[in-house]
Amino acid sequence: MLTIAALAPPLLGAALTTVGAFSAQLFSTLPGQRQLALFAIFGIILALTAALVVLPNFLHFDLGRREQIKSWRRSRHPRTVLLFWTLAMTFLLMSAFKVNCVGDLRLINLVPESLAAAEKSLQSVWGEVRGRALVFAEGETSEEALQINEKLYAVLRSEFAAAEIVSLAPVLPSLRSQTASRERWRKFWSRERLDQLRLNLVRAGREIGFSAAAFTPFVESLEHLPPLLSESYWRKLGFAALFDAMIEETPAGVAIMSLIPDNAVLANLSEQCVALPGVHLVSPKLFNREVSTAISRDLKQFIILALIIVSLILLFLLRNLYQAVLALLPVLAGLLSMFGIMGALGISFNLFNLVAAILIIGLGVDYGIFMVYRLFRGRDQATRLKRLKEIPKAP
C-alpha cells in the first residue's frame, strides 16, 4: 500500500545522520567552522520538513490512490498548510534581502583571551591599532624613497589632519628638499638683513636693560646653518627602533611606511596613491570590501549554477516538469529559510559558511527526489508481495 509514512524513517535517518556529522563541527574552536555546521544543520532540517509536511499537499491523486494513503497522509486542510507555508516563505524572503557578505577574515579567526586582553591594553594606550592602513613609498635608493614619501605626505595631508598621520616625512625630508630649504634660508637671511636684525635687537634690548652682545649668539645661529637631518642623526638620538619599524630594505630598494586611519576616505585616496609612482596602499577595509564583493558574486553564481545543474538532472531523471519543480521545493525552502533566518538575526556570509549553501542544495534535493519517486512512481506493496510469492523457492 502506498504510504508517505513509509518514507519518513529513511528520510529522517538520512537527515539525522547528516546533521549528526555536521554537529561535530559545533565543538570546533574556530567560529567559521561552527557557523558552517549551524547553517548546514538548519538548512537540512528545514528542507526535510518541507519535503515531509509541505510537499505532499502539492500532490494530486486520483480517488482510488487517495484512498490507499493512510498514515502521514496529506493534510485534511491542504490549502491552510499551503497558505501558512506561503506566508512563512514570504516573511523569510523579506528578511533574506538583509543578508550581506563579510570579507573580514578576523571575524572568523580564533582570538585567544590572552591576545584579546593584550590588544585591549594596547588600544587603551595607543588607540585603535588595527584600524590603520599602511602606505609604502618605495624607491631604488633611500633618497628616492624619501622624495616619494614627501609627495605621499602632501597627498595624505589633503585628506587627514597631521595628528592622524604617522609619517617620517616631517622629521626626515629628502636631501634634495633640505638643500632647497637651506638655500632659501640663506637667501632670506642675507648679510644686510642680519645686520639690520642685529641693530634692531641691540636698540630694543638697550631699552629694557640688555647688553649689546646679548643677542650675538642668536644672530650667528641664523648665519651658520645646522647639520643636515639624516637617518643616522635620528638613530643617535635614540629613535633607532622607530626607524627600524618604518624603513625596510627590499630586493627592489628601500620602502618607507606610513600609517593612516583606515576609513571610508581611502576609497578616494587609493586612486591618488596609485597615481604616484612607487606608492602602495595596504588597507584591511579595502581588502575586506573586495573579498566581500567576491563572496557575494560567487555566492550568487554558485547558487544559480547549482540550481540550473540540479534542475537539468531532475528533468532528465523525472521527464516531467511538474514533478521536477516539486522535487526542488525542499531545497528551495531550505535555502530561503536559511537566508531569511540569517537576515533576521543579522548573520552574514563569509568564506566558511558560504559552503553551507551548496551543501543544502546537494543534500536537500535528495528529499524531494525520494518523495516524488515514491508518491508518483511507487508501486503497491501488495503487488510487490504478490510477485515475491510467485518467485519459486530454491529446492
PDB file of all heavy atoms in Angstrom, residues 217-241:
ATOM      1  N   PRO A 217      74.858  85.555  19.899  1.00  0.00           N
ATOM      2  CA  PRO A 217      74.763  84.107  19.583  1.00  0.00           C
ATOM      3  C   PRO A 217      73.540  83.758  18.726  1.00  0.00           C
ATOM      4  O   PRO A 217      73.622  82.903  17.847  1.00  0.00           O
ATOM      5  CB  PRO A 217      74.675  83.448  20.962  1.00  0.00           C
ATOM      6  CG  PRO A 217      75.330  84.411  21.880  1.00  0.00           C
ATOM      7  CD  PRO A 217      74.953  85.773  21.360  1.00  0.00           C
ATOM      8  N   PHE A 218      72.412  84.440  18.980  1.00  0.00           N
ATOM      9  CA  PHE A 218      71.206  84.152  18.200  1.00  0.00           C
ATOM     10  C   PHE A 218      71.390  84.557  16.741  1.00  0.00           C
ATOM     11  O   PHE A 218      71.041  83.803  15.818  1.00  0.00           O
ATOM     12  CB  PHE A 218      70.026  84.896  18.811  1.00  0.00           C
ATOM     13  CG  PHE A 218      68.793  84.843  17.962  1.00  0.00           C
ATOM     14  CD1 PHE A 218      68.066  83.671  17.777  1.00  0.00           C
ATOM     15  CD2 PHE A 218      68.353  85.995  17.308  1.00  0.00           C
ATOM     16  CE1 PHE A 218      66.957  83.636  16.973  1.00  0.00           C
ATOM     17  CE2 PHE A 218      67.223  85.960  16.492  1.00  0.00           C
ATOM     18  CZ  PHE A 218      66.513  84.778  16.333  1.00  0.00           C
ATOM     19  N   VAL A 219      71.981  85.743  16.521  1.00  0.00           N
ATOM     20  CA  VAL A 219      72.180  86.210  15.154  1.00  0.00           C
ATOM     21  C   VAL A 219      73.177  85.321  14.416  1.00  0.00           C
ATOM     22  O   VAL A 219      72.997  85.001  13.233  1.00  0.00           O
ATOM     23  CB  VAL A 219      72.643  87.675  15.150  1.00  0.00           C
ATOM     24  CG1 VAL A 219      72.953  88.141  13.731  1.00  0.00           C
ATOM     25  CG2 VAL A 219      71.589  88.567  15.786  1.00  0.00           C
ATOM     26  N   GLU A 220      74.234  84.868  15.128  1.00  0.00           N
ATOM     27  CA  GLU A 220      75.204  83.984  14.493  1.00  0.00           C
ATOM     28  C   GLU A 220      74.601  82.628  14.152  1.00  0.00           C
ATOM     29  O   GLU A 220      74.990  81.991  13.164  1.00  0.00           O
ATOM     30  CB  GLU A 220      76.422  83.805  15.413  1.00  0.00           C
ATOM     31  CG  GLU A 220      77.245  85.077  15.554  1.00  0.00           C
ATOM     32  CD  GLU A 220      78.419  84.890  16.497  1.00  0.00           C
ATOM     33  OE1 GLU A 220      78.465  83.795  17.139  1.00  0.00           O
ATOM     34  OE2 GLU A 220      79.268  85.788  16.590  1.00  0.00           O
ATOM     35  N   SER A 221      73.629  82.152  14.957  1.00  0.00           N
ATOM     36  CA  SER A 221      72.972  80.859  14.655  1.00  0.00           C
ATOM     37  C   SER A 221      72.157  80.940  13.369  1.00  0.00           C
ATOM     38  O   SER A 221      71.983  79.942  12.670  1.00  0.00           O
ATOM     39  CB  SER A 221      72.073  80.448  15.823  1.00  0.00           C
ATOM     40  OG  SER A 221      70.971  81.340  15.950  1.00  0.00           O
ATOM     41  N   LEU A 222      71.660  82.151  13.075  1.00  0.00           N
ATOM     42  CA  LEU A 222      70.924  82.303  11.824  1.00  0.00           C
ATOM     43  C   LEU A 222      71.854  82.270  10.611  1.00  0.00           C
ATOM     44  O   LEU A 222      71.445  81.904   9.518  1.00  0.00           O
ATOM     45  CB  LEU A 222      70.155  83.633  11.838  1.00  0.00           C
ATOM     46  CG  LEU A 222      69.081  83.786  12.918  1.00  0.00           C
ATOM     47  CD1 LEU A 222      68.435  85.161  12.815  1.00  0.00           C
ATOM     48  CD2 LEU A 222      68.019  82.699  12.802  1.00  0.00           C
ATOM     49  N   GLU A 223      73.092  82.621  10.838  1.00  0.00           N
ATOM     50  CA  GLU A 223      74.053  82.652   9.746  1.00  0.00           C
ATOM     51  C   GLU A 223      74.686  81.290   9.508  1.00  0.00           C
ATOM     52  O   GLU A 223      74.933  80.911   8.350  1.00  0.00           O
ATOM     53  CB  GLU A 223      75.144  83.693  10.058  1.00  0.00           C
ATOM     54  CG  GLU A 223      76.134  83.899   8.924  1.00  0.00           C
ATOM     55  CD  GLU A 223      77.142  84.983   9.257  1.00  0.00           C
ATOM     56  OE1 GLU A 223      77.099  85.508  10.386  1.00  0.00           O
ATOM     57  OE2 GLU A 223      77.961  85.309   8.372  1.00  0.00           O
ATOM     58  N   HIS A 224      74.923  80.542  10.586  1.00  0.00           N
ATOM     59  CA  HIS A 224      75.531  79.217  10.472  1.00  0.00           C
ATOM     60  C   HIS A 224      74.420  78.157  10.520  1.00  0.00           C
ATOM     61  O   HIS A 224      73.758  77.976  11.539  1.00  0.00           O
ATOM     62  CB  HIS A 224      76.526  78.978  11.614  1.00  0.00           C
ATOM     63  CG  HIS A 224      77.656  79.951  11.596  1.00  0.00           C
ATOM     64  ND1 HIS A 224      77.606  81.186  12.229  1.00  0.00           N
ATOM     65  CD2 HIS A 224      78.877  79.892  10.996  1.00  0.00           C
ATOM     66  CE1 HIS A 224      78.731  81.840  12.048  1.00  0.00           C
ATOM     67  NE2 HIS A 224      79.523  81.077  11.283  1.00  0.00           N
ATOM     68  N   LEU A 225      74.191  77.472   9.415  1.00  0.00           N
ATOM     69  CA  LEU A 225      73.111  76.505   9.303  1.00  0.00           C
ATOM     70  C   LEU A 225      73.409  75.249  10.112  1.00  0.00           C
ATOM     71  O   LEU A 225      74.577  74.827  10.212  1.00  0.00           O
ATOM     72  CB  LEU A 225      72.895  76.138   7.838  1.00  0.00           C
ATOM     73  CG  LEU A 225      72.456  77.297   6.922  1.00  0.00           C
ATOM     74  CD1 LEU A 225      72.375  76.812   5.482  1.00  0.00           C
ATOM     75  CD2 LEU A 225      71.114  77.848   7.367  1.00  0.00           C
ATOM     76  N   PRO A 226      72.380  74.623  10.694  1.00  0.00           N
ATOM     77  CA  PRO A 226      72.573  73.361  11.412  1.00  0.00           C
ATOM     78  C   PRO A 226      72.895  72.237  10.442  1.00  0.00           C
ATOM     79  O   PRO A 226      72.708  72.364   9.234  1.00  0.00           O
ATOM     80  CB  PRO A 226      71.209  73.142  12.092  1.00  0.00           C
ATOM     81  CG  PRO A 226      70.231  73.862  11.234  1.00  0.00           C
ATOM     82  CD  PRO A 226      70.972  75.057  10.699  1.00  0.00           C
ATOM     83  N   PRO A 227      73.363  71.068  10.953  1.00  0.00           N
ATOM     84  CA  PRO A 227      73.697  69.953  10.057  1.00  0.00           C
ATOM     85  C   PRO A 227      72.430  69.376   9.405  1.00  0.00           C
ATOM     86  O   PRO A 227      71.309  69.548   9.900  1.00  0.00           O
ATOM     87  CB  PRO A 227      74.357  68.933  10.996  1.00  0.00           C
ATOM     88  CG  PRO A 227      73.814  69.261  12.347  1.00  0.00           C
ATOM     89  CD  PRO A 227      73.647  70.757  12.357  1.00  0.00           C
ATOM     90  N   LEU A 228      72.641  68.704   8.285  1.00  0.00           N
ATOM     91  CA  LEU A 228      71.524  68.074   7.582  1.00  0.00           C
ATOM     92  C   LEU A 228      70.929  66.936   8.411  1.00  0.00           C
ATOM     93  O   LEU A 228      71.654  66.208   9.104  1.00  0.00           O
ATOM     94  CB  LEU A 228      71.999  67.533   6.231  1.00  0.00           C
ATOM     95  CG  LEU A 228      72.419  68.579   5.188  1.00  0.00           C
ATOM     96  CD1 LEU A 228      73.061  67.886   3.993  1.00  0.00           C
ATOM     97  CD2 LEU A 228      71.216  69.392   4.734  1.00  0.00           C
ATOM     98  N   LEU A 229      69.599  66.807   8.327  1.00  0.00           N
ATOM     99  CA  LEU A 229      68.923  65.702   9.002  1.00  0.00           C
ATOM    100  C   LEU A 229      69.150  64.422   8.202  1.00  0.00           C
ATOM    101  O   LEU A 229      69.040  64.414   6.973  1.00  0.00           O
ATOM    102  CB  LEU A 229      67.425  65.979   9.121  1.00  0.00           C
ATOM    103  CG  LEU A 229      67.021  67.149  10.019  1.00  0.00           C
ATOM    104  CD1 LEU A 229      65.513  67.364   9.937  1.00  0.00           C
ATOM    105  CD2 LEU A 229      67.443  66.894  11.450  1.00  0.00           C
ATOM    106  N   SER A 230      69.432  63.337   8.906  1.00  0.00           N
ATOM    107  CA  SER A 230      69.666  62.061   8.255  1.00  0.00           C
ATOM    108  C   SER A 230      69.152  60.944   9.159  1.00  0.00           C
ATOM    109  O   SER A 230      68.835  61.158  10.333  1.00  0.00           O
ATOM    110  CB  SER A 230      71.153  61.861   7.951  1.00  0.00           C
ATOM    111  OG  SER A 230      71.893  61.821   9.153  1.00  0.00           O
ATOM    112  N   GLU A 231      69.084  59.768   8.594  1.00  0.00           N
ATOM    113  CA  GLU A 231      68.634  58.619   9.390  1.00  0.00           C
ATOM    114  C   GLU A 231      69.596  58.347  10.534  1.00  0.00           C
ATOM    115  O   GLU A 231      69.182  58.052  11.663  1.00  0.00           O
ATOM    116  CB  GLU A 231      68.518  57.391   8.478  1.00  0.00           C
ATOM    117  CG  GLU A 231      67.973  56.172   9.191  1.00  0.00           C
ATOM    118  CD  GLU A 231      67.833  54.989   8.258  1.00  0.00           C
ATOM    119  OE1 GLU A 231      67.830  55.187   7.026  1.00  0.00           O
ATOM    120  OE2 GLU A 231      67.734  53.851   8.766  1.00  0.00           O
ATOM    121  N   SER A 232      70.887  58.454  10.274  1.00  0.00           N
ATOM    122  CA  SER A 232      71.884  58.216  11.334  1.00  0.00           C
ATOM    123  C   SER A 232      71.768  59.252  12.437  1.00  0.00           C
ATOM    124  O   SER A 232      71.989  58.946  13.620  1.00  0.00           O
ATOM    125  CB  SER A 232      73.285  58.222  10.734  1.00  0.00           C
ATOM    126  OG  SER A 232      73.556  59.469  10.102  1.00  0.00           O
ATOM    127  N   TYR A 233      71.414  60.482  12.081  1.00  0.00           N
ATOM    128  CA  TYR A 233      71.254  61.540  13.079  1.00  0.00           C
ATOM    129  C   TYR A 233      70.149  61.174  14.078  1.00  0.00           C
ATOM    130  O   TYR A 233      70.342  61.287  15.299  1.00  0.00           O
ATOM    131  CB  TYR A 233      70.933  62.866  12.381  1.00  0.00           C
ATOM    132  CG  TYR A 233      70.511  63.973  13.309  1.00  0.00           C
ATOM    133  CD1 TYR A 233      71.450  64.715  14.026  1.00  0.00           C
ATOM    134  CD2 TYR A 233      69.154  64.278  13.468  1.00  0.00           C
ATOM    135  CE1 TYR A 233      71.049  65.733  14.875  1.00  0.00           C
ATOM    136  CE2 TYR A 233      68.744  65.293  14.314  1.00  0.00           C
ATOM    137  CZ  TYR A 233      69.695  66.019  15.016  1.00  0.00           C
ATOM    138  OH  TYR A 233      69.297  67.036  15.868  1.00  0.00           O
ATOM    139  N   TRP A 234      69.003  60.716  13.586  1.00  0.00           N
ATOM    140  CA  TRP A 234      67.901  60.360  14.479  1.00  0.00           C
ATOM    141  C   TRP A 234      68.192  59.075  15.251  1.00  0.00           C
ATOM    142  O   TRP A 234      67.745  58.927  16.399  1.00  0.00           O
ATOM    143  CB  TRP A 234      66.609  60.200  13.664  1.00  0.00           C
ATOM    144  CG  TRP A 234      66.050  61.487  13.157  1.00  0.00           C
ATOM    145  CD1 TRP A 234      65.999  61.921  11.869  1.00  0.00           C
ATOM    146  CD2 TRP A 234      65.464  62.520  13.939  1.00  0.00           C
ATOM    147  NE1 TRP A 234      65.429  63.147  11.779  1.00  0.00           N
ATOM    148  CE2 TRP A 234      65.081  63.560  13.060  1.00  0.00           C
ATOM    149  CE3 TRP A 234      65.243  62.690  15.307  1.00  0.00           C
ATOM    150  CZ2 TRP A 234      64.479  64.732  13.481  1.00  0.00           C
ATOM    151  CZ3 TRP A 234      64.642  63.867  15.746  1.00  0.00           C
ATOM    152  CH2 TRP A 234      64.261  64.864  14.836  1.00  0.00           C
ATOM    153  N   ARG A 235      68.940  58.175  14.646  1.00  0.00           N
ATOM    154  CA  ARG A 235      69.271  56.948  15.359  1.00  0.00           C
ATOM    155  C   ARG A 235      70.173  57.240  16.558  1.00  0.00           C
ATOM    156  O   ARG A 235      70.039  56.606  17.615  1.00  0.00           O
ATOM    157  CB  ARG A 235      69.962  55.952  14.416  1.00  0.00           C
ATOM    158  CG  ARG A 235      69.009  55.326  13.392  1.00  0.00           C
ATOM    159  CD  ARG A 235      69.737  54.318  12.514  1.00  0.00           C
ATOM    160  NE  ARG A 235      68.827  53.680  11.576  1.00  0.00           N
ATOM    161  CZ  ARG A 235      68.075  52.610  11.850  1.00  0.00           C
ATOM    162  NH1 ARG A 235      68.139  52.053  13.057  1.00  0.00           N
ATOM    163  NH2 ARG A 235      67.280  52.094  10.941  1.00  0.00           N
ATOM    164  N   LYS A 236      71.082  58.188  16.398  1.00  0.00           N
ATOM    165  CA  LYS A 236      71.952  58.556  17.518  1.00  0.00           C
ATOM    166  C   LYS A 236      71.167  59.194  18.657  1.00  0.00           C
ATOM    167  O   LYS A 236      71.585  59.135  19.821  1.00  0.00           O
ATOM    168  CB  LYS A 236      73.048  59.518  17.035  1.00  0.00           C
ATOM    169  CG  LYS A 236      74.056  58.860  16.109  1.00  0.00           C
ATOM    170  CD  LYS A 236      75.085  59.874  15.626  1.00  0.00           C
ATOM    171  CE  LYS A 236      76.066  59.239  14.673  1.00  0.00           C
ATOM    172  NZ  LYS A 236      77.077  60.214  14.156  1.00  0.00           N
ATOM    173  N   LEU A 237      70.027  59.813  18.322  1.00  0.00           N
ATOM    174  CA  LEU A 237      69.213  60.455  19.356  1.00  0.00           C
ATOM    175  C   LEU A 237      68.269  59.479  20.059  1.00  0.00           C
ATOM    176  O   LEU A 237      67.494  59.889  20.917  1.00  0.00           O
ATOM    177  CB  LEU A 237      68.392  61.589  18.731  1.00  0.00           C
ATOM    178  CG  LEU A 237      69.192  62.791  18.213  1.00  0.00           C
ATOM    179  CD1 LEU A 237      68.248  63.846  17.659  1.00  0.00           C
ATOM    180  CD2 LEU A 237      70.047  63.394  19.335  1.00  0.00           C
ATOM    181  N   GLY A 238      68.324  58.180  19.661  1.00  0.00           N
ATOM    182  CA  GLY A 238      67.518  57.176  20.363  1.00  0.00           C
ATOM    183  C   GLY A 238      66.270  56.726  19.640  1.00  0.00           C
ATOM    184  O   GLY A 238      65.410  56.089  20.258  1.00  0.00           O
ATOM    185  N   PHE A 239      66.156  57.037  18.353  1.00  0.00           N
ATOM    186  CA  PHE A 239      64.961  56.651  17.587  1.00  0.00           C
ATOM    187  C   PHE A 239      65.236  55.477  16.637  1.00  0.00           C
ATOM    188  O   PHE A 239      64.577  55.335  15.615  1.00  0.00           O
ATOM    189  CB  PHE A 239      64.445  57.853  16.785  1.00  0.00           C
ATOM    190  CG  PHE A 239      63.946  58.976  17.636  1.00  0.00           C
ATOM    191  CD1 PHE A 239      64.774  60.038  17.965  1.00  0.00           C
ATOM    192  CD2 PHE A 239      62.642  58.976  18.120  1.00  0.00           C
ATOM    193  CE1 PHE A 239      64.316  61.086  18.743  1.00  0.00           C
ATOM    194  CE2 PHE A 239      62.175  60.016  18.906  1.00  0.00           C
ATOM    195  CZ  PHE A 239      63.011  61.076  19.229  1.00  0.00           C
ATOM    196  N   ALA A 240      66.205  54.647  16.997  1.00  0.00           N
ATOM    197  CA  ALA A 240      66.570  53.537  16.119  1.00  0.00           C
ATOM    198  C   ALA A 240      65.413  52.552  15.941  1.00  0.00           C
ATOM    199  O   ALA A 240      65.163  52.065  14.836  1.00  0.00           O
ATOM    200  CB  ALA A 240      67.801  52.818  16.672  1.00  0.00           C
ATOM    201  N   ALA A 241      64.708  52.251  17.031  1.00  0.00           N
ATOM    202  CA  ALA A 241      63.602  51.284  16.945  1.00  0.00           C
ATOM    203  C   ALA A 241      62.497  51.788  16.024  1.00  0.00           C
ATOM    204  O   ALA A 241      61.909  51.015  15.264  1.00  0.00           O
ATOM    205  CB  ALA A 241      63.044  51.005  18.346  1.00  0.00           C
TER     206      ALA A 241
END
